[in-house]
Amino acid sequence: MKLIDKLEAVDNSIVELQNKIENSQDIAELKGFTHELNALQAQKQALSEVEAVTENSVKTEDYLSTDKAVNEFLNSLVADRKSGNSGYQSWSKKLAENGLTVEDPAKALPRKLVQELQTSMIDSNDILKLAKLTHNNGEIVMRDLTSDDVARVHQDGETKVIQNSKIKTSLVEPRQIYVRHGFGVLSAKLLENFDDIFQELVSESVQKITNKVVDLMLFEGTANPNGAGSGATENGFISIKNETDTGKVIHVDGKTDLPGAIEMAIDELIQPGKKYLVVTKKQKHAIIKALRTRQPNVNYSSSNDAVAAEFGLDGLILYRGTAKIKPTIITEGSYAIDMGPIDRIEQFRIDNNTEDLLIETMATGRTLRYGGIVVIDIADE
């Protein structure tokens, strides 16, 4: 029953009891009716309090989803910066003006602003788009079904053989990924275009978090399922490089024939979906050089699309980070990343007259599908 229906039912019961009390002539019966009436009135009070909280919650969502909330939030930051206030004082007042009471205004950010940060993060790196992205506050619970047997043909009179199958459940504990900046308030006030610089700083921070997530996905992730590793290695990601399940990340040797190894790698992929070759610029140049050596009379284009098309792939993506990755073919959705909402927190520190900018997200990642990723092993660069 909906809350409003419960309130209406209680109201109707109260009216009925009040009528009975007015018409009753029996003292014992009156006491019973009065006791019942008090209980119903207490129930109505409790339901009314729940209704008030629910209405405030809905109102909060409605206001925080508007463009007005974004503009007033940004204006409140400017007002606090100019006046030297701390703790989102102007934003807290704006929330109150809209009938919203929250314990921590830093956690009541405009939804559109958070979504813009989230979208800009995803759009800022093509490799990140290859992952299956979810938003469950940084949790991925994996249930892998494995079997070392095949389907069998049953013969009359035989006992059917039980196959050796296992279901393994594991969780990689998420970690916070963050960028934190600190700068003097006096310097900020002296810059006429500080607000523009500040927005650039936010964009740059989001880009840095994106790049770190990609590095953790490809190379740096050293976590263990169910937190079995040491604290130093539990960084929330099991990278493609460090995946020990050879069914999820397959390796082929590309030390002597790189184009041939790419062709072999493609044959190993069994997952449906678009497939992309992820390489460094140096590795891309090595592939083109090897192709031209193999067929010197063919004019090979050096564009990413042309190289991908040569192998029947859907695309080539250049990795522009600093990790020593190997050429890797990834089927879309074969690596899973879960990220909580991106938080943007600004706090004026009165003790040293500086302003902090902290952007962070809870995240975790690991390989998801069998036969969806192949790494081509080459000599270290």
Side-chain angles (χ1 to χ4, degrees), residues 250 252 260-269 329 373-376:
I250 303 164
V252 299
I262 294 174
E263 292 167 344
M264 290 175 56
I266 293 171
D267 290 339
E268 296 289 343
L269 296 169
I329 302 177
I373 300 173
V374 182
V375 174
I376 301 160

Side-chain angles (χ1 to χ4, degrees), residues 92-111:
S92 182
K93 290 178 182 178
K94 284 296 178 184
L95 291 173
E97 288 173 8
N98 286 275
L100 311 176
T101 303
V102 295
E103 292 183 5
D104 185 2
K107 296 298 183 182
L109 301 181
R111 299 285 178 266

Side-chain angles (χ1 to χ4, degrees), residues 60-107:
T60 301
E61 292 296 325
D62 288 344
Y63 170 67
L64 293 178
S65 299
T66 63
D67 290 334
K68 176 185 176 184
V70 176
N71 293 330
E72 291 185 343
F73 175 73
L74 295 175
N75 290 335
S76 73
L77 296 180
V78 175
D80 281 343
R81 186 178 299 123
K82 290 179 178 179
S83 61
N85 291 333
S86 61
Y88 289 93
Q89 291 185 23
S90 296
W91 177 233
S92 182
K93 290 178 182 178
K94 284 296 178 184
L95 291 173
E97 288 173 8
N98 286 275
L100 311 176
T101 303
V102 295
E103 292 183 5
D104 185 2
K107 296 298 183 182

